[in-house]
mmCIF file of all heavy atoms in Angstrom:
data_model
loop_
_atom_site.group_PDB
_atom_site.id
_atom_site.type_symbol
_atom_site.label_atom_id
_atom_site.label_comp_id
_atom_site.label_asym_id
_atom_site.label_seq_id
_atom_site.Cartn_x
_atom_site.Cartn_y
_atom_site.Cartn_z
ATOM 1 N N ASP L 359 -16.445 23.503 -1.321
ATOM 2 C CA ASP L 359 -16.124 23.304 0.099
ATOM 3 C C ASP L 359 -14.620 23.243 0.404
ATOM 4 O O ASP L 359 -14.219 23.310 1.566
ATOM 5 C CB ASP L 359 -16.820 22.067 0.659
ATOM 6 C CG ASP L 359 -16.383 20.768 0.004
ATOM 7 O OD1 ASP L 359 -15.328 20.717 -0.646
ATOM 8 O OD2 ASP L 359 -17.130 19.773 0.153
ATOM 9 N N GLY L 360 -13.773 23.094 -0.610
ATOM 10 C CA GLY L 360 -12.332 23.087 -0.402
ATOM 11 C C GLY L 360 -11.764 21.774 0.094
ATOM 12 O O GLY L 360 -10.578 21.684 0.379
ATOM 13 N N VAL L 361 -12.594 20.743 0.182
ATOM 14 C CA VAL L 361 -12.137 19.431 0.658
ATOM 15 C C VAL L 361 -11.883 18.531 -0.549
ATOM 16 O O VAL L 361 -12.826 18.185 -1.267
ATOM 17 C CB VAL L 361 -13.188 18.772 1.583
ATOM 18 C CG1 VAL L 361 -12.688 17.420 2.078
ATOM 19 C CG2 VAL L 361 -13.544 19.691 2.742
ATOM 20 N N PRO L 362 -10.628 18.136 -0.792
ATOM 21 C CA PRO L 362 -10.377 17.240 -1.917
ATOM 22 C C PRO L 362 -11.109 15.910 -1.722
ATOM 23 O O PRO L 362 -11.183 15.408 -0.592
ATOM 24 C CB PRO L 362 -8.860 17.015 -1.866
ATOM 25 C CG PRO L 362 -8.328 18.150 -1.074
ATOM 26 C CD PRO L 362 -9.401 18.506 -0.092
ATOM 27 N N PRO L 363 -11.664 15.335 -2.781
ATOM 28 C CA PRO L 363 -12.301 14.015 -2.647
ATOM 29 C C PRO L 363 -11.286 12.997 -2.132
ATOM 30 O O PRO L 363 -10.078 13.134 -2.369
ATOM 31 C CB PRO L 363 -12.724 13.676 -4.077
ATOM 32 C CG PRO L 363 -12.799 14.986 -4.782
ATOM 33 C CD PRO L 363 -11.770 15.864 -4.141
ATOM 34 N N LYS L 364 -11.769 11.992 -1.422
ATOM 35 C CA LYS L 364 -10.895 10.963 -0.877
ATOM 36 C C LYS L 364 -10.073 10.343 -2.005
ATOM 37 O O LYS L 364 -10.591 10.046 -3.076
ATOM 38 C CB LYS L 364 -11.728 9.893 -0.181
ATOM 39 C CG LYS L 364 -10.930 9.036 0.750
ATOM 40 C CD LYS L 364 -11.828 8.201 1.624
ATOM 41 C CE LYS L 364 -11.005 7.629 2.752
ATOM 42 N NZ LYS L 364 -11.803 6.961 3.736
ATOM 43 N N GLY L 365 -8.770 10.182 -1.776
ATOM 44 C CA GLY L 365 -7.885 9.609 -2.789
ATOM 45 C C GLY L 365 -7.305 10.629 -3.741
ATOM 46 O O GLY L 365 -6.606 10.270 -4.683
ATOM 47 N N THR L 366 -7.603 11.919 -3.524
ATOM 48 C CA THR L 366 -7.057 12.980 -4.372
ATOM 49 C C THR L 366 -6.345 14.014 -3.515
ATOM 50 O O THR L 366 -6.555 14.089 -2.305
ATOM 51 C CB THR L 366 -8.148 13.691 -5.193
ATOM 52 O OG1 THR L 366 -8.989 14.429 -4.304
ATOM 53 C CG2 THR L 366 -8.975 12.712 -5.997
ATOM 54 N N VAL L 367 -5.511 14.814 -4.145
ATOM 55 C CA VAL L 367 -4.824 15.925 -3.478
ATOM 56 C C VAL L 367 -4.770 17.109 -4.432
ATOM 57 O O VAL L 367 -4.841 16.946 -5.651
ATOM 58 C CB VAL L 367 -3.386 15.543 -3.047
ATOM 59 C CG1 VAL L 367 -3.386 14.509 -1.938
ATOM 60 C CG2 VAL L 367 -2.552 15.070 -4.219
ATOM 61 N N LEU L 368 -4.648 18.291 -3.864
ATOM 62 C CA LEU L 368 -4.417 19.493 -4.669
ATOM 63 C C LEU L 368 -2.922 19.749 -4.646
ATOM 64 O O LEU L 368 -2.318 19.845 -3.569
ATOM 65 C CB LEU L 368 -5.164 20.694 -4.096
ATOM 66 C CG LEU L 368 -5.020 21.982 -4.901
ATOM 67 C CD1 LEU L 368 -5.771 21.868 -6.235
ATOM 68 C CD2 LEU L 368 -5.510 23.180 -4.124
ATOM 69 N N VAL L 369 -2.318 19.818 -5.828
ATOM 70 C CA VAL L 369 -0.874 20.063 -5.924
ATOM 71 C C VAL L 369 -0.619 21.348 -6.700
ATOM 72 O O VAL L 369 -1.439 21.777 -7.509
ATOM 73 C CB VAL L 369 -0.123 18.891 -6.613
ATOM 74 C CG1 VAL L 369 -0.255 17.612 -5.822
ATOM 75 C CG2 VAL L 369 -0.577 18.696 -8.046
ATOM 76 N N ARG L 370 0.531 21.948 -6.437
ATOM 77 C CA ARG L 370 0.989 23.110 -7.203
ATOM 78 C C ARG L 370 2.239 22.673 -7.951
ATOM 79 O O ARG L 370 3.254 22.351 -7.357
ATOM 80 C CB ARG L 370 1.282 24.291 -6.299
ATOM 81 C CG ARG L 370 1.672 25.528 -7.101
ATOM 82 C CD ARG L 370 1.472 26.816 -6.371
ATOM 83 N NE ARG L 370 0.194 26.955 -5.729
ATOM 84 C CZ ARG L 370 -0.904 27.463 -6.302
ATOM 85 N NH1 ARG L 370 -0.876 27.835 -7.560
ATOM 86 N NH2 ARG L 370 -2.018 27.593 -5.614
ATOM 87 N N TRP L 371 2.129 22.639 -9.294
ATOM 88 C CA TRP L 371 3.238 22.209 -10.138
ATOM 89 C C TRP L 371 4.311 23.283 -10.190
ATOM 90 O O TRP L 371 4.005 24.477 -10.192
ATOM 91 C CB TRP L 371 2.748 21.895 -11.546
ATOM 92 C CG TRP L 371 1.793 20.747 -11.576
ATOM 93 C CD1 TRP L 371 0.434 20.816 -11.730
ATOM 94 C CD2 TRP L 371 2.099 19.368 -11.411
ATOM 95 N NE1 TRP L 371 -0.115 19.563 -11.679
ATOM 96 C CE2 TRP L 371 0.878 18.651 -11.484
ATOM 97 C CE3 TRP L 371 3.280 18.660 -11.199
ATOM 98 C CZ2 TRP L 371 0.823 17.264 -11.372
ATOM 99 C CZ3 TRP L 371 3.223 17.283 -11.090
ATOM 100 C CH2 TRP L 371 2.010 16.597 -11.173
ATOM 101 N N HIS L 372 5.565 22.877 -10.292
ATOM 102 C CA HIS L 372 6.640 23.867 -10.369
ATOM 103 C C HIS L 372 6.838 24.374 -11.792
ATOM 104 O O HIS L 372 7.317 25.474 -11.996
ATOM 105 C CB HIS L 372 7.951 23.292 -9.813
ATOM 106 C CG HIS L 372 8.797 22.611 -10.832
ATOM 107 N ND1 HIS L 372 8.490 21.376 -11.338
ATOM 108 C CD2 HIS L 372 9.931 23.013 -11.464
ATOM 109 C CE1 HIS L 372 9.405 21.049 -12.232
ATOM 110 N NE2 HIS L 372 10.277 22.004 -12.326
ATOM 111 N N HIS L 373 6.443 23.605 -12.800
ATOM 112 C CA HIS L 373 6.692 23.978 -14.193
ATOM 113 C C HIS L 373 5.565 24.800 -14.825
ATOM 114 O O HIS L 373 5.743 25.317 -15.921
ATOM 115 C CB HIS L 373 6.979 22.731 -15.029
ATOM 116 C CG HIS L 373 5.818 21.788 -15.144
ATOM 117 N ND1 HIS L 373 5.439 20.966 -14.103
ATOM 118 C CD2 HIS L 373 4.949 21.547 -16.149
ATOM 119 C CE1 HIS L 373 4.384 20.259 -14.473
ATOM 120 N NE2 HIS L 373 4.071 20.590 -15.710
ATOM 121 N N VAL L 374 4.428 24.891 -14.165
ATOM 122 C CA VAL L 374 3.327 25.726 -14.642
ATOM 123 C C VAL L 374 2.719 26.464 -13.451
ATOM 124 O O VAL L 374 2.661 25.926 -12.355
ATOM 125 C CB VAL L 374 2.222 24.898 -15.363
ATOM 126 C CG1 VAL L 374 2.706 24.368 -16.683
ATOM 127 C CG2 VAL L 374 1.732 23.773 -14.503
ATOM 128 N N PRO L 375 2.256 27.684 -13.644
ATOM 129 C CA PRO L 375 1.756 28.476 -12.507
ATOM 130 C C PRO L 375 0.295 28.186 -12.159
ATOM 131 O O PRO L 375 -0.556 29.055 -12.217
ATOM 132 C CB PRO L 375 1.921 29.909 -12.996
ATOM 133 C CG PRO L 375 1.715 29.802 -14.475
ATOM 134 C CD PRO L 375 2.297 28.465 -14.866
ATOM 135 N N ARG L 376 0.002 26.926 -11.858
ATOM 136 C CA ARG L 376 -1.381 26.597 -11.511
ATOM 137 C C ARG L 376 -1.408 25.422 -10.549
ATOM 138 O O ARG L 376 -0.450 24.673 -10.435
ATOM 139 C CB ARG L 376 -2.202 26.286 -12.750
ATOM 140 C CG ARG L 376 -1.754 25.051 -13.502
ATOM 141 C CD ARG L 376 -2.692 24.714 -14.650
ATOM 142 N NE ARG L 376 -2.091 23.791 -15.577
ATOM 143 C CZ ARG L 376 -1.956 22.485 -15.373
ATOM 144 N NH1 ARG L 376 -2.379 21.947 -14.263
ATOM 145 N NH2 ARG L 376 -1.397 21.712 -16.268
ATOM 146 N N ALA L 377 -2.560 25.289 -9.905
ATOM 147 C CA ALA L 377 -2.790 24.161 -9.012
ATOM 148 C C ALA L 377 -3.710 23.173 -9.717
ATOM 149 O O ALA L 377 -4.527 23.557 -10.555
ATOM 150 C CB ALA L 377 -3.408 24.639 -7.710
ATOM 151 N N GLU L 378 -3.579 21.891 -9.373
ATOM 152 C CA GLU L 378 -4.385 20.850 -10.017
ATOM 153 C C GLU L 378 -4.837 19.835 -8.977
ATOM 154 O O GLU L 378 -4.066 19.424 -8.120
ATOM 155 C CB GLU L 378 -3.557 20.139 -11.092
ATOM 156 C CG GLU L 378 -4.314 19.036 -11.796
ATOM 157 C CD GLU L 378 -3.490 18.333 -12.865
ATOM 158 O OE1 GLU L 378 -2.259 18.487 -12.885
ATOM 159 O OE2 GLU L 378 -4.098 17.634 -13.683
ATOM 160 N N LEU L 379 -6.095 19.442 -9.071
ATOM 161 C CA LEU L 379 -6.633 18.359 -8.271
ATOM 162 C C LEU L 379 -6.324 17.064 -9.022
ATOM 163 O O LEU L 379 -6.689 16.924 -10.190
ATOM 164 C CB LEU L 379 -8.141 18.533 -8.084
ATOM 165 C CG LEU L 379 -8.819 17.606 -7.091
ATOM 166 C CD1 LEU L 379 -8.305 17.866 -5.676
ATOM 167 C CD2 LEU L 379 -10.324 17.809 -7.131
ATOM 168 N N ILE L 380 -5.629 16.142 -8.351
ATOM 169 C CA ILE L 380 -5.143 14.950 -9.037
ATOM 170 C C ILE L 380 -5.238 13.739 -8.106
ATOM 171 O O ILE L 380 -5.077 13.878 -6.895
ATOM 172 C CB ILE L 380 -3.691 15.186 -9.530
ATOM 173 C CG1 ILE L 380 -3.201 14.040 -10.410
ATOM 174 C CG2 ILE L 380 -2.746 15.433 -8.379
ATOM 175 C CD1 ILE L 380 -1.902 14.368 -11.148
#
Side-chain angles (χ1 to χ4, degrees):
D359 63 18
V361 181
K364 198 168 194 172
T366 68
V367 292
L368 182 70
V369 298
R370 184 158 312 271
W371 296 104
H372 90 286
H373 65 285
V374 290
R376 65 174 164 77
E378 179 180 15
L379 189 65
I380 188 168

